[in-house]
Amino acid sequence: MEAARIGIAQVGFGYWGPNLLRNLAGIAGVEIVAVADTNPRRLGELSRGQPPIATADDYRHVLARSDVDAVVIATPADTHAEIAAAALAANKHVLVEKPLATRVEDARSLCALAERAGRVLMVGHTFLYNAAVRCLKSQIDSGALGDVYYVYAQRLNLGRVRRDVNALWNFAPHDVAIVLYLLDAFPREVSARGFAYLQPDVDDVAFVTMDFPNRQAAHLHISWLDPRKVRQTTVVGSRRMAVYDDLSSDARVVLYDRGVDRVPTVDSPRDFNDFGDFQLRLRSGDITVPALTVPEPLREECRHFIDCIRSGDRPLTDGAHGLRVVEILDAAQRSMQQHGRAVRIGE
Ligand SMILES: NC(=O)c1ccc[n+]([C@@H]2O[C@H](COP(=O)([O-])OP(=O)(O)OC[C@H]3O[C@@H](n4cnc5c(N)ncnc54)[C@H](O)[C@@H]3O)[C@@H](O)[C@H]2O)c1
């Protein structure tokens, strides 16, 4: 059976937009109808392509088209809320790049708009469509790591320095989304420090700590001013530990059968009186590398968006997920403005 046709308009065709367009165009039944960008130089090649794609310098023109069912937004973060709201108001399904919005109230009202319109609202938290992150999640959910104590992530690079958002809002949406997904929990409070060196008031580096219920913790180190490109997430559990290295070609996820066991020093467990009755014994076992095939995560993300439009299912990274990420980034930003004071979400 032929897949139902879905007409797509894309808004924003800068660095990331062409990647989205390429992946969407490869999905059966998807027709790229139009692309809007305020910079006409970005659009020239599209109208000359085969097949030619209609272009506009004002996104409202593409929203007005009746052959557009869904809109994909890849513009700077501070424009997401306005464009996504207009697209939902025009009854279109929306895939918006991360972050969903730069203000919590905007993210919340986008979720309400999508509910009222009965349209799919999905956020481009690409890493949740990454087979390595899924593998890490299944290791945690299967109990292979035991109780997860803490997670830390490093997303470091030299460049792409932005002017519209700081490094926190540019890179941390990925890591916050990954942490929420892995722990399946929401932090009670967030503390963060940020430092600006290259431009006034635009933080180049951020250190974020999230306190979760059950004494779980997550720490993020984010920077576009670092000598090395690093994209790693480490999960420390009571039974095993795991490292996800997005840049590794042959060992994206490594499991370490390592830890510290509490071994009784008295015969019967009933005799335990205090901590002194235990000995802490280091355990250093096998290191294993699960075999993984990692299809392009952006292709998986685009397919998921189209599948949800066709099935009516809620996306994994729906508006509610995007809102939770924005709430945490907002708390981190407020903590940074107060030199690291712990901020309760919603405070
Ligand atoms: N998921 C990922 O891994 C990933 C990676 C890179 C970027 N992104 C996201 O993609 C978005 C775009 O990032 P980028 O690096 O491509 O930025 P960019 O600055 O290179 O491109 C943005 C484009 O949007 C256009 N634009 C700006 N305002 C507009 C408006 N009101 N209407 C129409 N067009 C407008 C600009 O002219 C530009 O061509 C950001 O939200 C970013 O967070 C996501």
Side-chain angles (χ1 to χ4, degrees), residues 9 17 20 58 70 84 91-92 97 123 131 149-150 181 186-187 220 232 247-249 268 291 294 303 310 320 328 336:
L20 280 159
D58 186 333
N91 240 8
K92 313 294 185 192
E97 257 313 325
V123 188
Y149 291 149
Y150 71 93
Y181 176 61
F186 195 68
L220 315 180
Q232 285 185 357
L247 302 182
S248 169
S249 53
S268 160
V294 185
R303 277 188 199 288
R310 288 186 172 137
I328 293 169
M336 277 157 57

Side-chain angles (χ1 to χ4, degrees), residues 11-17 36-39 42 59 74-77 79-80 83 97-99 124 126-127 160 162 170 174:
V11 183
F13 200 64
Y15 160 72
W16 193 241
D37 196 299
T38 42
N39 180 352
R42 296 294 314 162
Y59 71 84
T75 54
T79 65
H80 290 177
I83 300 171
E97 257 313 325
K98 53 79 195 168
T126 322
F127 284 86
R160 305 189 69 235
R162 297 198 68 109
N170 193 40
H174 290 312

Side-chain angles (χ1 to χ4, degrees), residues 133-287:
V133 175
R134 296 265 175 103
C135 167
L136 202 50
K137 170 78 171 158
S138 71
Q139 292 292 335
I140 292 172
D141 289 353
S142 72
L145 303 192
D147 297 329
V148 173
Y149 291 149
Y150 71 93
V151 179
Y152 69 92
Q154 297 159 297
R155 191 170 297 271
L156 317 173
N157 201 10
L158 186 62
R160 305 189 69 235
V161 179
R162 297 198 68 109
R163 290 165 187 269
D164 53 332
V165 283
N166 61 18
L168 174 84
W169 284 88
N170 193 40
F171 291 140
H174 290 312
D175 298 298
V176 171
I178 292 172
V179 166
L180 292 184
Y181 176 61
L182 293 181
L183 297 184
D184 201 11
F186 195 68
R188 285 194 293 227
E189 57 181 32
V190 179
S191 48
R193 295 299 311 267
F195 301 91
Y197 301 102
L198 305 177
Q199 307 167 80
D201 300 328
V202 181
D203 294 302
D204 306 298
V205 56
F207 303 93
V208 181
T209 303
M210 297 176 244
D211 281 46
F212 286 82
N214 303 327
R215 293 176 35 237
Q216 285 182 314
H219 182 78
L220 315 180
H221 175 191
I222 304 290
S223 176
W224 58 42
L225 186 56
D226 198 276
R228 293 178 311 142
K229 180 166 181 167
V230 180
R231 285 180 175 184
Q232 285 185 357
T233 305
T234 301
V235 183
V236 173
S238 57
R239 288 187 61 206
R240 289 196 182 83
M241 304 179 181
V243 176
Y244 153 50
D245 183 348
D246 192 58
L247 302 182
S248 169
S249 53
D250 55 357
R252 292 274 168 102
V253 175
V254 180
L255 301 169
Y256 296 84
D257 185 5
R258 288 185 175 169
V260 181
D261 295 330
R262 296 204 314 161
V263 182
T265 53
V266 287
D267 290 340
S268 160
R270 285 201 203 89
D271 296 337
F272 294 158
N273 289 325
D274 57 36
F275 206 69
D277 292 338
F278 293 94
Q279 208 181 29
L280 295 179
R281 190 176 294 165
L282 302 191
R283 178 172 33 81
S284 189
D286 290 344
I287 297 172

Side-chain angles (χ1 to χ4, degrees), residues 32-48:
I32 310 295
V33 174
V35 176
D37 196 299
T38 42
N39 180 352
R41 273 178 302 159
R42 296 294 314 162
L43 298 171
E45 59 199 78
L46 288 168
S47 47
R48 289 192 295 273

